Amino acid sequence: MEAILVLLIVAALNGAVAYIDQMLTGLVPMTLNADQYMTAAAGGSMVETLFDILLGFGVSLIILKFLKKGFECYVMWTDGDPDAEPAGLVIRFIEAIAVAVCFPVMYGWLADITQSLTDQLMAAIGTSTNYDWQAWVNGIGSLGLVTAIFGLVFVVCYFVLYFQFLMRGLEIMILRIGLPLACVGLLDNDKGVFKTYINKFFQSTLSVVVQICLCKLGVGMMMNVGINMNIFWGIACIVLAIKTPRFLSEFMVPTGGGGAGVINNIYHSVRLVGMAKGMIK
């Protein structure tokens, strides 16, 4: 019975290794530029078309919000400090327009830097690993049922991680398309939604780099299943790679808005207490 189970697992692994080795190549371009792999029916990039649409809409919102804040602050005196120089509002308006218009160029720079960093890290990790997947499957089959089960678990996690890369590419694509709308927040003193938006953007990009490196390291560990506890280290690396987005979200959290809100609440509460005491006297 054990031999039959081992043969079934080895057969499944033989079918999977045909895809595994090719999945590690081209992950960064596929994730950061998913639109190049998902061309529209008429040809061309979907992101460029959708970005142009939302760029016009976002610039319109930026102009409307700029006029609204200027009118409420310097004409109606109902928002902000009317004694403050209007240059600050104008500078934030120019910044919002510039970021929205120039973002495709800046994103190209970010993609190039991420690709270069990932290539260097992958080369450093891959110098001590030579992948022979067929020999790995044969070694897994000769080490018994338990080792074969661990090998199957690793392959399943590997495919789960690959689908995570696909979803990460869609996530980054949506963030790229919607950035002109997030630039409306730059007109606020605390950067509004833009701060959280750009933080999520960098978190997704960093997650891709960390996941690819952990995946490559896990594969390198699994290739040497006969050495000590490498099979467990390999599974640990691939599982951590799956959990990387949640791990990074624990410390890549925007700060600066919550403290000010608490201080303002305390200040207004103290004022209310003082006013109540004055009325009693």
Side-chain angles (χ1 to χ4, degrees):
M1 185 65 180
E2 179 179 345
I4 295 175
L5 291 176
V6 171
L7 288 176
L8 291 175
I9 294 174
V10 169
L13 293 178
N14 280 325
V17 294
Y19 302 96
I20 290 180
D21 200 25
Q22 300 175 357
M23 287 180 178
L24 270 178
T25 60
L27 279 178
V28 175
M30 182 191 68
T31 308
L32 297 182
N33 299 289
D35 55 300
Q36 296 180 2
Y37 298 82
M38 299 170 57
T39 54
S45 172
M46 291 188 299
V47 170
E48 293 179 0
T49 304
L50 297 176
F51 181 84
D52 291 340
I53 296 173
L54 289 184
L55 177 61
F57 184 65
V59 170
S60 301
L61 290 180
I62 292 172
I63 295 173
L64 288 175
K65 187 171 182 178
F66 170 72
L67 296 176
K68 174 180 177 294
K69 290 180 72 71
F71 181 77
E72 291 180 347
C73 181
Y74 298 105
V75 178
M76 300 298 295
W77 294 1
T78 58
D79 184 22
D81 183 9
D83 295 329
E85 292 292 333
L89 180 60
V90 175
I91 291 174
R92 294 197 297 272
F93 170 72
I94 296 174
E95 179 186 5
I97 295 292
V99 173
V101 173
C102 299
F103 175 74
V105 177
M106 293 186 290
Y107 181 77
W109 296 341
L110 174 64
D112 292 339
I113 293 172
T114 305
Q115 178 69 66
S116 176
L117 173 63
T118 307
D119 289 343
Q120 294 179 26
L121 293 175
M122 292 277 281
I125 295 173
T127 52
S128 58
T129 57
N130 295 316
Y131 301 153
D132 187 350
W133 288 100
Q134 192 58 51
W136 175 75
V137 173
N138 296 334
I140 286 288
S142 63
L143 293 176
L145 178 61
V146 175
T147 305
I149 292 175
F150 280 125
L152 182 61
V153 170
F154 177 82
V155 171
V156 171
C157 292
Y158 193 100
F159 279 100
V160 171
L161 181 61
Y162 184 77
F163 283 110
Q164 271 199 4
F165 283 125
L166 298 180
M167 292 187 293
R168 191 73 55 203
L170 293 174
E171 180 181 282
I172 293 176
M173 185 178 71
I174 293 172
L175 291 173
R176 289 170 59 192
I177 294 171
L179 188 124
L181 301 180
C183 289
V184 178
L186 289 173
L187 290 173
D188 300 324
N189 291 326
D190 60 352
K191 306 301 181 183
V193 70
F194 182 82
K195 182 187 295 184
T196 306
Y197 197 93
I198 204 67
N199 183 78
K200 178 63 177 177
F201 200 95
F202 284 114
Q203 178 185 332
S204 298
T205 306
L206 182 60
S207 296
V208 172
V209 177
V210 176
Q211 284 182 307
I212 291 176
C213 293
L214 284 173
C215 181
K216 186 76 176 287
L217 182 60
V219 171
M221 293 292 102
M222 289 298 293
M223 288 299 101
N224 298 316
V225 292
I227 300 178
N228 298 328
M229 306 290 287
N230 274 4
I231 186 170
F232 299 107
W233 283 113
I235 295 177
C237 288
I238 206 75
V239 171
L240 180 58
I242 294 174
K243 295 183 177 181
T244 293
R246 191 194 318 174
F247 168 69
L248 293 180
S249 66
E250 293 180 359
F251 62 89
M252 291 189 66
V253 178
T255 58
V262 173
I263 293 174
N264 287 333
N265 290 334
I266 295 174
Y267 171 75
H268 290 300
S269 299
V270 171
R271 286 198 60 186
L272 287 174
V273 172
M275 292 171 62
K277 287 183 178 179
M279 292 176 64
I280 293 173
K281 292 180 179 179

